[in-house]
């Protein structure tokens, strides 16, 4: 098969669409013929050499895909050859075929474009596991979503609204904020011209904050929390180590969480299988009903994976970038 291989670490030019060995299908796995793959910041970090895949994962980038099941490993009973699916991967999505545990596969709901579906599994699992399973977001609460115009942000806005929360978002332009409002965001904060701490203080602070910035926002995020607030850090776009003001945190009975999806075990407590099962049971009906839709900013052929990585940092990109592997 062909896949994107990394010829060393560095810029987009280290990615090459080339012949490589087919994945082995182990017991409990299915083999997917890939239609499209979602592009994530983690892929860029892996390409640069800062985010190696877990030991048992493919070295090919790609944390999510859509496609058709073409083979079943021993013991797989819940899926059939020919099923149209999307899947959460530990790697290997930028390829013609990928093997994945059957427990990380989701059906593509009727009527959903299979290319767009490639951009859903990673964000759906990240958003649901952090907003609901970790932070326990409840109806009527105020959630602050940093990076509202990103792949995670565009999904998180829709999910939080369906849960009955009030949604505040940050973004770097008024154009992006207007699009966040179309998705349901109530409070729009341009982080270049406004102070998000002051903006949410007008509502007694945020009950939940979903943070993509890490160190850069840590102190201000704690300041922005309401009493009993929960800060969930999922990204480190603003650095890895910051100062945590414990006095400010304990005075609010607050909590700080930091989680990732990729390095979770395949099975057991807190595993990818558990998160995907929760998404399938609780979030997937919202997707099937068209209440939560994938927001796709750009669709490129896999031969333009380098351009797709560059688009992640473009101010024009709103939502996800996906790579088409086959028609
Ligand atoms: N922990 C996990 O398991 C997990 C899983 C998936 C993703 N992530 C992480 O979550 C973060 C978001 O992922 P994504 O897929 O949504 O990435 P993305 O699509 O690239 O979006 C990132 C967003 O960050 C915004 N941004 C840049 N500087 C900002 C600032 N100072 N304040 C607020 N927003 C800012 C950008 O928008 P502007 O143009 O508005 O600046 C952009 O929309 C990434 O850091 C990613 O690595 C973590």
């Amino acid at each position: 098969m062909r896949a994107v291989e990394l010829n060393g670490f560095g810029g987009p030019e280290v990615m090459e669409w080339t012949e490589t060995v087919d994945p082995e299908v182990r017991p409990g796995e299915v083999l997917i013929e890939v239609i499209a793959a979602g592009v994530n910041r983690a892929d860029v970090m892996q390409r640069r050499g800062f985010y190696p895949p877990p030991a048992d994962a493919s070295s090919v980038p790609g944390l999510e895909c859509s496609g058709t099941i073409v083979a079943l490993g021993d013991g797989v009973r819940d899926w059939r050859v020919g099923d149209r699916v999307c899947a959460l991967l530990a790697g290997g999505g930028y390829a013609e075929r990928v093997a994945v545990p059957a427990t990380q596969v989701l059906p593509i709901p009727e009527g959903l474009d299979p290319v767009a579906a490639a951009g859903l599994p990673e964000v759906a699992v990240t958003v649901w596991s952090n907003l609901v399973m970790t932070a326990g977001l409840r109806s009527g609460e105020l959630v602050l979503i940093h990076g509202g115009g990103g792949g995670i942000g565009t999904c998180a806005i829709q999910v939080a609204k369906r849960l009955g929360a009030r949604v505040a978002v940050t973004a770097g332009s008024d154009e992006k904020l207007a699009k966040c409002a179309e998705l349901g965001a109530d409070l729009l904060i341009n982080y270049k011209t406004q102070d998000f701490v002051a903006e949410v203080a007008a509502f007694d602070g945020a009950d939940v904050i979903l943070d993509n910035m890490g160190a850069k926002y840590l102190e201000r995020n704690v300041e922005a929390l309401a009493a009993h607030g929960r800060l969930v850090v999922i990204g480190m776009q603003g650095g890895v180590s910051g100062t945590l003001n414990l006095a400010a945190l304990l005075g609010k009975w607050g909590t700080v969480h930091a989680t990732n999806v990729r390095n979770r075990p395949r099975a057991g407590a807190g595993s990818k299988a558990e998160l995907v099962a929760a998404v399938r049971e609780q979030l997937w009906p919202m997707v099937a009903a068209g209440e939560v839709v994938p927001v796709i900013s750009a669709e490129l052929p896999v031969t333009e994976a380098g351009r797709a990585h560059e688009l992640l940092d473009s101010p024009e990109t709103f939502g996800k970038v996906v790579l088409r592997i086959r028609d």
Side-chain angles (χ1 to χ4, degrees), residues 123-239:
V123 292
V125 167
T126 304
V127 166
W128 193 263
S129 63
N130 286 292
L131 283 187
V132 178
M133 300 166 79
T134 299
L137 180 65
R138 292 184 292 270
S139 179
E141 289 192 317
L142 179 67
V143 57
L144 171 61
I145 297 164
H146 287 303
I152 295 286
T154 51
C155 180
I157 294 168
Q158 299 177 73
V159 169
K161 287 306 289 183
R162 296 286 91 72
L163 294 170
R166 291 175 299 149
V167 176
V169 290
T170 57
S173 73
D174 292 346
E175 291 74 27
K176 272 196 185 177
L177 287 168
K179 290 183 183 170
C180 291
E182 284 171 22
L183 290 175
D186 305 290
L187 178 61
L188 310 174
I189 306 166
N190 185 328
Y191 67 78
K192 291 185 176 157
T193 58
Q194 291 168 285
D195 173 14
F196 68 81
V197 179
E199 296 299 324
V200 298
F203 300 87
D204 296 327
D207 300 293
V208 171
I209 301 178
L210 187 64
D211 175 64
N212 60 340
M213 296 306 293
K216 186 174 175 185
Y217 278 1
L218 181 59
E219 284 190 274
R220 288 165 70 210
N221 275 335
V222 170
E223 254 186 272
L225 282 179
H228 303 285
R230 293 86 76 196
L231 165 62
V232 189
V233 180
I234 61 163
M236 296 169 287
Q237 288 168 232

Side-chain angles (χ1 to χ4, degrees), residues 224-299:
L225 282 179
H228 303 285
R230 293 86 76 196
L231 165 62
V232 189
V233 180
I234 61 163
M236 296 169 287
Q237 288 168 232
V240 297
S241 23
T243 303
L244 179 62
N245 183 336
L246 290 169
L249 189 67
L250 70 82
K252 297 176 173 185
W253 314 280
T255 45
V256 179
H257 305 262
T259 78
N260 95 337
V261 172
R262 191 186 200 183
N263 290 348
R264 286 176 182 259
R266 288 177 172 213
S271 62
K272 292 193 185 101
E274 192 178 273
L275 304 192
V276 171
V279 162
R280 185 169 181 175
E281 188 188 322
Q282 296 170 79
L283 173 53
W284 230 233
M286 299 178 193
V287 176
E291 295 168 351
V292 173
V293 297
V295 178
I296 307 298
S297 184
E299 178 191 320

Side-chain angles (χ1 to χ4, degrees), residues 11-193:
E13 69 285 351
V14 302
M15 291 192 290
E16 192 190 352
W17 179 242
T18 185
E19 285 293 330
T20 188
V21 286
D22 268 72
E24 182 195 339
V25 190
R26 292 175 284 191
E29 293 185 340
V30 301
L31 184 67
I32 296 175
E33 200 163 68
V34 180
I35 294 172
V39 176
N40 285 281
R41 244 155 224 282
D43 310 340
V44 177
M45 297 299 288
Q46 179 176 338
R47 189 200 76 210
R48 290 184 180 143
F50 300 129
Y51 196 27
D56 60 345
S58 164
S59 60
V60 170
L63 298 182
E64 55 188 348
C65 75
S66 60
T68 308
I69 294 181
V70 290
L72 305 174
D74 287 347
V76 174
R77 305 203 200 299
D78 299 340
W79 298 103
R80 297 280 167 270
V81 167
D83 284 347
R84 279 287 172 106
V85 296
C86 53
L88 178 73
L89 312 170
Y94 296 11
E96 288 180 318
R97 284 183 279 285
V98 64
V100 55
T103 48
Q104 290 169 218
V105 175
L106 291 154
I108 298 181
E110 187 94 10
L112 186 65
D113 170 20
V115 175
L120 258 186
E122 173 76 9
V123 292
V125 167
T126 304
V127 166
W128 193 263
S129 63
N130 286 292
L131 283 187
V132 178
M133 300 166 79
T134 299
L137 180 65
R138 292 184 292 270
S139 179
E141 289 192 317
L142 179 67
V143 57
L144 171 61
I145 297 164
H146 287 303
I152 295 286
T154 51
C155 180
I157 294 168
Q158 299 177 73
V159 169
K161 287 306 289 183
R162 296 286 91 72
L163 294 170
R166 291 175 299 149
V167 176
V169 290
T170 57
S173 73
D174 292 346
E175 291 74 27
K176 272 196 185 177
L177 287 168
K179 290 183 183 170
C180 291
E182 284 171 22
L183 290 175
D186 305 290
L187 178 61
L188 310 174
I189 306 166
N190 185 328
Y191 67 78
K192 291 185 176 157
T193 58

